[in-house]
């Protein structure tokens, strides 16, 4: 309850609507993977900032992509960092509309990146841009869909070699237990050493997370 109150306070301060847990069953979904999607839960600012400490400070040529971006909380948090561009990929039409409205309404004097957008698409059909990437997953869907997205990402990196980080976080379903070995077993990414996530008051749940960087040659 405290985390939810803090999330709504953050929304009021920035003039947006990102708080709450959103179930998918009543939403209009693009693509065939409704049953494999998970609820949309906003990431806490302190959790996101803690994760970002694992990445290089100079990200001005990297594009941040949130796969399953929900109502855009993570996109808005990412905009406080110097990314070249920030893209959300979301398959629920109502959440896409809310996210786009949030991007227009955001009031944050610490914002460093203003090139924000949301793509309405099934993540399994998304084509990654041919630029250095930071790809963020907060347990958006089942392993079946993740395997497809990861394969597509690897294919893109093989065709157009470039720097790429993957951040995978989960706070339910123990998704990190299969996501971490799935990424490792590709042989294309090295896992970075990261500290354990503390318990933050503004987080509904504590996130278990892992950060990976593509090897020099894919």
């Amino acid at each position: 309850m405290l985390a939810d109150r803090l999330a709504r306070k953050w929304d009021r301060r920035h003039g947006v609507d990102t708080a709450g847990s959103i179930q998918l069953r009543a939403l209009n979904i693009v693509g065939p993977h409704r049953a494999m999607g998970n609820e949309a839960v906003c990431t806490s600012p302190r959790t996101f900032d803690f994760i970002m400490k694992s990445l290089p400070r100079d990200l001005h040529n990297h594009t941040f992509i949130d796969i399953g971006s929900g109502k855009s909380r993570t996109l808005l948090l990412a905009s406080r960092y110097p990314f070249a561009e920030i893209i959300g990929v979301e398959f629920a039409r109502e959440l896409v509309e809310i996210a786009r409205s949030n991007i227009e309404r955001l009031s944050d004097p610490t914002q460093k990146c203003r090139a924000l957008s949301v793509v309405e698409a099934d993540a399994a059909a998304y084509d990654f841009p041919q630029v250095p990437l930071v790809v963020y997953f907060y347990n958006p869907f089942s392993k079946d869909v993740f395997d497809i997205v990861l394969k597509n990402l690897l294919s893109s990196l093989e065709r157009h070699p470039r720097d790429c980080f993957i951040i995978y976080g989960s706070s339910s379903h123990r998704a990190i237990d299969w996501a971490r070995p799935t990424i490792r077993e590709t042989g294309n990414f090295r896992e970075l050493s990261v500290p354990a996530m503390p318990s933050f008051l503004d987080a509904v749940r504590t996130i278990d997370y892992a950060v990976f960087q593509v090897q020099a040659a894919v």
Side-chain angles (χ1 to χ4, degrees):
M1 292 179 63
L2 175 59
D4 184 69
R5 287 200 299 271
L6 291 173
R8 296 182 188 282
K9 181 179 179 180
W10 190 94
D11 279 359
R12 289 193 297 273
R13 184 186 314 129
H14 297 292
V16 296
D17 169 21
T18 67
S21 173
I22 309 298
Q23 302 296 324
L24 301 177
R25 58 182 174 269
L27 303 182
N28 291 300
I29 301 298
V30 175
H33 296 124
R34 175 195 295 273
M36 299 178 185
N38 295 325
E39 64 180 329
V41 181
C42 67
T43 299
S44 83
R46 295 185 69 183
T47 294
F48 187 80
D49 289 341
F50 189 87
I51 292 173
M52 287 297 295
K53 292 176 182 177
S54 301
L55 298 181
R57 293 192 177 185
D58 184 8
L59 297 164
H60 74 277
N61 67 337
H62 284 66
T63 291
F64 180 94
I65 300 181
D66 183 11
I67 302 294
S69 53
K71 295 203 291 183
S72 77
R73 167 64 72 85
T74 299
L75 304 180
L76 305 184
L77 294 174
S79 75
R80 300 178 303 161
Y81 292 84
F83 289 107
E85 186 176 2
I86 296 169
I87 301 171
V89 180
E90 175 56 52
F91 73 165
R93 184 160 300 148
E94 292 87 347
L95 301 186
V96 170
E97 292 173 356
I98 293 170
R100 289 174 176 167
S101 176
N102 286 336
I103 289 169
E104 291 180 2
R105 292 159 48 194
L106 176 66
S107 174
D108 187 348
T110 68
Q111 188 174 9
K112 292 184 173 65
C113 176
R114 298 185 181 278
L116 282 73
S117 62
V118 180
V119 177
E120 183 179 330
D122 185 326
Y126 178 67
D127 289 326
F128 289 90
Q130 298 170 22
V131 296
L133 300 172
V134 175
V135 185
Y136 182 90
F137 299 88
Y138 182 10
N139 188 25
F141 34 61
S142 70
K143 186 177 184 301
D144 291 341
V145 180
F146 180 76
D147 287 345
I148 298 171
V149 176
L150 182 60
K151 181 180 178 181
N152 292 343
L153 175 60
L154 288 171
S155 178
S156 178
L157 293 171
E158 289 169 358
R159 294 193 306 271
H160 306 282
R162 59 209 189 271
D163 193 30
C164 178
F165 294 89
I166 293 177
I167 301 168
Y168 196 99
S170 72
S171 56
S172 59
H173 308 288
R174 294 306 307 169
I176 194 70
D177 291 342
W178 55 254
R180 175 182 274 121
T182 298
I183 299 168
R184 284 176 179 167
E185 288 165 8
T186 67
N188 300 119
F189 289 89
R190 64 184 180 92
E191 185 171 1
L192 306 184
S193 177
V194 298
M197 179 68 67
S199 296
F200 292 120
L201 292 178
D202 67 344
V204 175
R205 309 179 187 112
T206 300
I207 293 179
D208 293 320
Y209 74 107
V211 179
F212 299 83
Q213 185 175 17
V214 70
Q215 304 281 16
V218 177

